[in-house]
Amino acid sequence: GRRPMSPTAYTPPDPLGLSTEGDDCKFPEEELNELFPDGSGKLSDDNFQPGWYLLEHHSNTSFEDLRAGMVFLQRKVESQKEGQLSFLKANTGAVMDQLDRLVLLKNMFEEDQRKNGKEPLPSLQAAIEESITLADSLFSEILSRKENADKTREALSLLTRHKFLFQLPASIDKNIRKKEYDLVVNDYTRVKNLFGNTDVKLFQKILAEIDKKIEDLKEKLHTRMKTMPINVQEQTKYIRLLVSLNWEGDAAWTAITSRKDYLLGLLDKVKDHFKQKEDQENADKGKRKSKAEA
């Protein structure tokens, strides 16, 4: 395969227009440093020394070639000067205009220093602060109305998005009055699934109100379930509702106990009734017997 080419340092063209190829006899660098201790042979260095350059690159060049190189260099310099002069002549108007602008800028800068001093930042800061204060006084009322309008729109948007939650307390009251308890249970289960873990203070406040209504409903259902007389079907419905609402007690056992107490009470009343009737009959028989004997 091909070998990669090694990078070589850039060598600027010879200013004399002479070729330096084949010049194997280099002037010793130690002697150059002694002759020009503060100089350099590089064309781009600020401490460039022509003598260093000539000794380093043209120590073996003939005098005639050096003269020819000098002529070449002079022509090159003259052509560059002519090029600069030609450019200035062709663009005299633009150059003069730029000079005028520079003079104007200098005058404006000096005038600004006389007015504001050499440190204009404090006055600039004061002007900016004054403009801010003026803007606030002009637009504060408008911005305040806009802020209130934004808050109103945000509140309306919130009400629209969560209409179900905000209307639920009134809906629960209405359904309880209509004894549509199944709707209450369904709505309560739904709202708990949707907002049960919310961190929004407003939502928590509404949920607390709903929980209070549900607790009142539980107490009401519990009272109706154990209040006799009541048929078994209705009592079963109350048991199911209390279980769905996670009532803390044992609704079924409470219902059974209530019905047992009610039935025992009825039996006691029947027993007392017939006992009184029997006692009355015995008393009447005794009276009739006494009259007959008399």
Side-chain angles (χ1 to χ4, degrees):
R2 297 178 59 186
R3 293 184 179 179
M5 297 180 62
S6 60
T8 57
Y10 169 72
T11 303
D14 188 81
L16 301 178
L18 302 174
S19 174
T20 59
E21 294 182 1
D23 188 8
D24 297 331
C25 184
K26 295 289 185 180
F27 202 87
E29 188 173 353
E30 293 80 4
E31 295 185 19
L32 290 173
N33 286 323
E34 292 178 1
L35 292 172
F36 308 99
D38 297 326
S40 171
K42 294 183 180 180
L43 297 172
S44 58
D45 289 350
D46 294 335
N47 57 346
F48 171 72
Q49 290 290 338
W52 182 316
Y53 183 84
L54 290 174
L55 288 174
E56 183 178 11
H57 296 284
H58 296 289
S59 59
N60 296 325
T61 304
S62 66
F63 180 73
E64 294 298 327
D65 288 341
L66 289 175
R67 287 184 63 182
M70 184 182 68
V71 173
F72 171 81
L73 181 60
Q74 288 175 342
R75 289 177 179 175
K76 189 174 181 181
V77 172
E78 291 297 329
S79 65
Q80 289 180 350
K81 289 182 179 179
E82 290 178 0
Q84 293 175 355
L85 289 174
S86 299
F87 175 81
L88 289 175
K89 290 178 181 179
N91 299 276
T92 302
V95 172
M96 296 303 296
D97 183 58
Q98 295 301 320
L99 288 174
D100 291 340
R101 291 181 181 275
L102 288 173
V103 172
L104 178 62
L105 181 62
K106 177 177 178 295
N107 294 336
M108 292 175 63
F109 178 74
E110 292 175 350
E111 180 66 22
D112 183 76
Q113 281 191 334
R114 283 194 296 271
K115 289 182 178 180
N116 303 313
K118 294 186 178 181
E119 296 292 337
L121 290 181
S123 59
L124 178 61
Q125 182 178 0
I128 293 174
E129 292 176 352
E130 182 181 359
S131 64
I132 292 174
T133 303
L134 180 60
D136 289 341
S137 64
L138 290 174
F139 299 106
S140 59
E141 185 177 355
I142 297 175
L143 294 175
S144 177
R145 287 201 298 267
K146 181 182 181 300
E147 184 178 357
N148 292 334
D150 291 341
K151 289 181 179 179
T152 302
R153 281 194 294 269
E154 184 178 355
L156 291 175
S157 176
L158 184 66
L159 288 172
T160 302
R161 287 198 307 270
H162 305 291
K163 182 179 179 181
F164 168 70
L165 174 64
F166 290 108
Q167 292 183 348
L168 187 56
S171 177
I172 289 176
D173 290 337
K174 181 183 70 174
N175 290 330
I176 289 176
R177 287 194 301 269
K178 295 167 63 176
K179 296 184 179 181
E180 294 181 351
Y181 302 120
D182 287 332
L183 292 178
V184 175
V185 172
N186 291 337
D187 289 343
Y188 182 67
T189 303
R190 180 185 172 192
V191 80
K192 279 296 186 180
N193 290 334
L194 292 175
F195 302 98
N197 297 322
T198 182
D199 295 328
V200 180
K201 297 296 183 183
L202 178 60
F203 292 172
Q204 291 177 349
K205 183 178 179 181
I206 298 174
L207 286 174
E209 180 183 355
I210 293 173
D211 288 337
K212 176 65 170 57
K213 292 181 181 296
I214 294 300
E215 290 299 323
D216 294 341
L217 176 61
K218 289 179 185 178
E219 187 62 30
K220 184 177 181 180
L221 294 175
H222 172 249
T223 301
R224 289 187 178 181
M225 180 188 67
K226 67 179 185 177
T227 300
M228 299 295 166
I230 183 175
N231 60 55
V232 175
Q233 289 77 13
E234 190 171 1
Q235 196 175 35
T236 302
K237 181 182 72 173
Y238 291 146
I239 293 172
R240 177 176 55 80
L241 291 171
L242 287 171
V243 171
S244 299
L245 293 173
N246 297 320
W247 186 60
E248 294 181 357
D250 190 336
W253 183 253
T254 301
I256 292 172
T257 303
S258 300
R259 185 164 292 278
K260 182 259 299 183
D261 294 339
Y262 173 67
L263 293 175
L264 288 177
L266 287 179
L267 289 175
D268 289 338
K269 287 181 180 180
V270 171
K271 182 183 71 173
D272 292 340
H273 172 72
F274 283 103
K275 187 175 184 303
Q276 290 177 1
K277 186 176 181 181
E278 183 181 1
D279 292 341
Q280 184 65 38
E281 289 177 353
N282 291 333
D284 291 342
K285 286 181 181 180
K287 289 180 181 180
R288 287 195 298 270
K289 184 177 180 181
S290 298
K291 288 181 180 180
E293 291 177 352

